[in-house]
Amino acid sequence: MEMDDVASVNAPADERRTPASQPVSDDLLDTGRRRLRLLGAALGGAVATGTDRIEELHRGIARRAFDAAGPGARPAQVTHDAVAAASYAAVRRVLRGAGQVAGAVAAASPLSAHPRVTGREAGLVEGAISGIWGDHIERRHPDLAVRMAVRSGGRDVSIDGDALAATFP
């Protein structure tokens, strides 16, 4: 993005424009900023969760090696396990923090006003992600969770018979 884009995000609402030269309301800009902060946190959390799988693999390999070495290796195993657990915990904390920082930086950038962050495409991506990792997102990032709904024209439709019949004749 260019400097003009940065200036437009910081401009008064009636002068603010997206890179596609569309006016951006304060609500839409707030939505973009919120979405980017949450996505950064969720991405950091997802990458940190990947660390769990690596730690499990490491633990399994180490356990087999220490079992094969016998009881004399027990003191080394205790030390190894403590250092490894602390190291993996630190990596998870750093990855989660990095995601939060990346989300905050993106939220403060012109990207927060981009139509792909605030528009229909973002909603489609959120829906797809929720379809794949919905339970995880609901538990760990509830503000990002997409609630199941019948939708038409980008809006939720009440599921009572009359509303459905009127919306889908």
Side-chain angles (χ1 to χ4, degrees):
M1 300 215 161
E2 298 179 17
M3 287 307 293
D4 290 345
D5 296 329
V6 173
S8 74
V9 171
N10 296 321
D14 58 340
E15 297 174 19
R16 194 178 302 134
R17 299 193 175 279
T18 66
S21 296
Q22 300 295 321
V24 179
S25 70
D26 286 334
D27 287 344
L28 205 53
L29 187 58
D30 288 344
T31 297
R33 288 178 176 154
R34 179 183 155 280
R35 186 172 275 160
L36 288 169
R37 280 191 304 273
L38 291 170
L39 287 171
L43 181 59
V47 174
T49 299
T51 304
D52 293 343
R53 303 299 76 81
I54 296 167
E55 182 180 15
E56 289 168 3
L57 178 65
H58 181 168
R59 246 187 285 131
I61 293 168
R63 184 178 52 245
R64 285 174 183 83
F66 284 117
D67 286 351
R74 184 74 180 134
Q77 180 181 9
V78 170
T79 302
H80 167 272
D81 291 351
V83 169
S87 297
Y88 283 111
V91 167
R92 277 190 289 276
R93 280 192 296 276
V94 167
L95 291 172
R96 284 190 183 100
Q100 291 171 341
V101 168
V105 168
S109 77
L111 183 61
S112 61
H114 197 284
R116 288 195 173 152
V117 174
T118 59
R120 182 170 184 211
E121 292 171 341
L124 292 172
V125 170
E126 280 182 342
I129 290 170
S130 285
I132 297 168
W133 293 296
D135 292 340
H136 172 81
I137 291 170
E138 180 68 35
R139 279 190 308 277
R140 297 204 177 169
H141 307 284
D143 291 339
L144 264 181
V146 176
R147 307 290 181 243
M148 186 177 290
V150 174
R151 296 180 59 82
S152 177
R155 303 214 181 277
D156 289 356
V157 176
S158 175
I159 57 170
D160 69 73
D162 293 337
L164 288 171
T167 305
F168 306 103

